[in-house]
Amino acid sequence: MRNVPRYRATFAKKSAQSGFIQAALLFGIALMTAVLGGFALANRSPTSQTDVEQAKVNASVILKQASDLRDGVARYSSDFGSSAVTTAMTFESVGNNGLFNASARYASPQIMPTSTFDISIGATVDDIKAPAALVAGHWYLNRTTAGNGLAGAGEDPMVVLPGLRADVCGRVNTLLYGANTIPVGTGALSAWTTNVDGGISAVAGVAGWPEGCIQTSDSRYVYFKTVQEN
């Protein structure tokens, strides 16, 4: 019988031990990866908890900014009269009719977090706009949309925040009315941002709403707040 030298036997033994240890380590790493992956999948939902909390925060900020703008319109109205709100007021920062007039300071342009918006619409939806006739910051002025069941049959000047995420839109309505139902208007997104009637006066779901979030005819989401009921 042939004898194997001791150093060779020892080397073979160590090699076998080393191979076993490496295999065990690799198996452990693979097992840990699988467990962590499964845990992540088990705790993942179409809308994560972080998204839910972010939508709540964004909805609250929307309502606060809209109230600030409405208060600014009230100050403007006290100087120029209620008719001027419908016929003359702009979102400019210069001129007597500008809501954001730097001297009068009726209100300030409002800016929302980027996470408020559905960026799939296009890069411009969350751009910050310089004060102009109909837009400043992220907000638009619409003076030709008639509300549904408000003070009278006239047009009701509104401040508008377009291009919202659907979950943020639903959260706004939940805060206001207790349900995340989103009524559908007859006007497109462009109507709300170009001072054209947004088409909610005959929509039953917004009857009596001075503010709320709706879906447009082209499946976008818009928040509106009436700043003067006519």
Side-chain angles (χ1 to χ4, degrees), residues 179-206:
N180 65 354
T181 304
I182 304 175
V184 181
T186 60
L189 176 66
S190 59
W192 290 92
T193 60
T194 58
N195 201 33
V196 176
D197 190 349
I200 59 172
S201 61
V203 177
V206 300

Side-chain angles (χ1 to χ4, degrees), residues 14-188:
K14 288 183 177 181
S15 296
Q17 290 175 340
S18 177
F20 175 79
I21 292 172
Q22 289 179 352
L25 287 174
L26 290 173
F27 176 77
I29 292 171
L31 180 61
M32 183 178 295
T33 301
V35 170
L36 291 175
F39 181 80
L41 287 173
N43 286 277
R44 184 178 178 83
S45 62
T47 303
S48 69
Q49 187 61 34
T50 300
D51 289 339
V52 170
E53 295 303 320
Q54 186 65 65
K56 290 180 181 179
V57 171
N58 289 339
S60 298
V61 175
I62 288 171
L63 299 181
K64 174 62 167 63
Q65 291 190 2
S67 293
D68 289 345
L69 291 172
R70 178 204 56 198
D71 292 345
V73 172
R75 289 188 285 271
Y76 174 94
S77 178
S78 69
D79 281 354
F80 298 103
S82 59
S83 62
V85 175
T86 302
T87 61
M89 187 182 72
T90 72
F91 265 10
E92 294 173 301
S93 59
V94 295
N96 291 334
N97 292 319
L99 183 66
F100 305 122
N101 182 289
S103 299
R105 296 183 178 179
Y106 299 114
S108 300
Q110 302 294 313
I111 299 170
M112 287 296 303
T114 302
S115 57
T116 307
F117 302 104
D118 178 4
I119 59 174
S120 68
I121 296 174
T124 61
V125 70
D126 57 351
D127 286 350
I128 300 172
K129 287 83 173 176
L134 297 176
V135 61
H138 286 135
W139 289 79
Y140 288 76
L141 173 64
N142 186 301
R143 298 188 312 219
T144 62
T145 294
N148 187 334
L150 300 182
E155 298 168 346
D156 303 295
M158 300 176 177
V159 292
V160 174
L161 188 65
L164 303 181
R165 283 172 26 193
D167 60 332
V168 174
C169 188
R171 180 57 58 178
V172 166
N173 289 345
T174 297
L175 291 176
L176 291 171
Y177 306 112
N180 65 354
T181 304
I182 304 175
V184 181
T186 60

